[in-house]
Amino acid sequence: HARLAAAIAHVGALPAIQLGHAGRKGSRGAPWSDGPSDPVWACGAPSAVPMGAFATPSAMTAGQIEDMIDAFAATARRAVRAGYRMIELHGAHGYLLHQFLSPVANRRDDAWGGDFAGRTKALLDVTRAVKAAIPPDVSLWVRLSHTDWIEGGWTTAETVRLSALLKDMGVEAIDVSSGGIEAAKIPVGPGYQVPGAEAVRQATGMLVAAVGMITEPTQAQAILAEGKADLVLLARAMLRDPYWPVQAAVTLGRLDAVRAPPQYDRGWSALGRIAMDRDIARAMPPV
């Protein structure tokens, strides 16, 4: 990790890492393999409630939850030693911290469950421990599913309320996604999760990242220009086309904002700029 973080920093990017735990979604066969999907080891979760056809997890004891909080803090310290300058806690998509948040997965009746204060306690305690474990100049983000898309599940209003608490704890940004706690009917479409990001931004005034089916440069730019989010994060669009930022620079007329590796400098020189614009526009149609 130290070698990786150093390589990222060397080219002028910010080394960042996401910390999370799968909880009841852990110990499964890789979704891209043909291997068995039976659990390889026993999983822990807030409650002994399985997700769909997944194996039933064991309910974590209070001691195990405290150990989990300590483990997140220890992981954050290792990340800083490795050279990462931004840490994101994964509290979305049905993974362990989200499992504590959602009534769909959290049926506890102790300090770690029940009402909003109980269900948010694990994530808040992890955030507090991680914040204390890292230097002030290391940025801390939290990823949240703003809604479960399930009646009786985690809601956008709760996400806004939690985000305000996280802001007070020194979290710099909320990465707003949705779903993942259980199968749900989700109105998937271009930018379908942006309203959740906008709700958090308007209510808390903190930095917010929008994600989810944001695939076109003009679409991403409009989200920022309209004040619905402060950042747009890309995943699948970049997996499909690793040159997406170059295409965006061409589309938005911002080639000056893109730097090429030295090995590609010949194609990015001032003499080749006009030809490059034409070639990229022809060879890279929108995905």
Side-chain angles (χ1 to χ4, degrees):
H1 276 279
R3 291 174 60 195
L4 177 60
I8 293 170
H10 178 71
V11 295
L14 182 75
I17 191 169
Q18 186 183 78
L19 307 182
H21 194 292
R24 69 178 189 167
K25 294 180 78 172
S27 184
R28 305 294 291 183
W32 54 84
S33 74
D34 295 325
S37 59
D38 292 334
V40 180
W41 60 80
C43 297
S47 302
V49 179
M51 177 181 177
F54 282 52
T56 301
S58 60
M60 297 171 69
T61 66
Q64 288 173 327
I65 295 173
E66 295 287 356
D67 289 344
M68 178 264 295
I69 294 168
D70 292 342
F72 267 98
T75 304
R77 285 190 289 270
R78 291 195 297 273
V80 171
R81 287 202 302 272
Y84 292 106
R85 308 308 299 164
M86 190 275 271
I87 292 174
E88 180 177 81
L89 298 177
H90 201 333
H93 299 166
Y95 298 121
L96 184 57
L97 295 178
H98 184 192
Q99 291 163 29
F100 275 97
L101 295 176
S102 176
V104 173
N106 187 344
R107 311 288 176 80
R108 301 178 74 96
D109 57 6
D110 61 2
W112 309 94
D115 60 8
F116 175 86
R119 287 182 284 109
T120 59
K121 178 174 169 56
L123 187 143
L124 291 173
D125 284 356
V126 165
T127 303
R128 187 177 296 108
V130 168
K131 185 65 178 174
I134 62 177
D137 61 344
V138 173
S139 181
L140 181 60
W141 295 23
V142 175
R143 179 165 230 197
L144 297 174
S145 283
H146 78 87
T147 176
D148 287 339
W149 303 105
I150 297 173
E151 185 70 28
W154 180 255
T155 67
T156 302
E158 289 177 307
T159 297
V160 169
R161 186 177 172 188
L162 174 59
S163 297
L165 297 176
L166 292 170
K167 180 182 180 182
D168 291 342
M169 296 174 67
V171 171
E172 185 173 2
I174 302 296
D175 173 2
V176 183
S177 190
S178 73
I181 197 71
E182 193 63 82
K185 187 175 181 181
I186 301 176
V188 176
Y192 70 104
Q193 295 173 152
V194 173
E198 184 178 13
V200 173
R201 189 176 191 269
Q202 289 185 349
T204 67
M206 67 190 306
L207 293 175
V208 169
V211 301
M213 293 195 73
I214 301 171
T215 60
E216 301 296 333
T218 52
Q219 175 196 14
Q221 185 64 27
I223 291 168
L224 303 180
E226 295 167 8
K228 296 178 179 179
D230 301 283
L231 308 98
V232 169
L233 304 183
L234 302 173
R236 291 177 177 88
M238 288 286 289
L239 291 174
R240 289 191 294 266
D241 179 9
Y243 284 95
W244 194 97
V246 176
Q247 179 182 311
V250 172
T251 301
L252 301 174
R254 286 300 312 277
L255 275 171
D256 60 301
V258 180
R259 286 167 44 194
Q263 296 90 332
Y264 291 82
D265 184 64
R266 191 176 178 89
W268 287 79
S269 66
L271 293 176
R273 190 62 63 91
I274 295 176
M276 184 195 68
D277 289 356
R278 182 191 64 241
D279 293 344
I280 291 178
R282 181 186 301 125
M284 291 184 162
V287 175

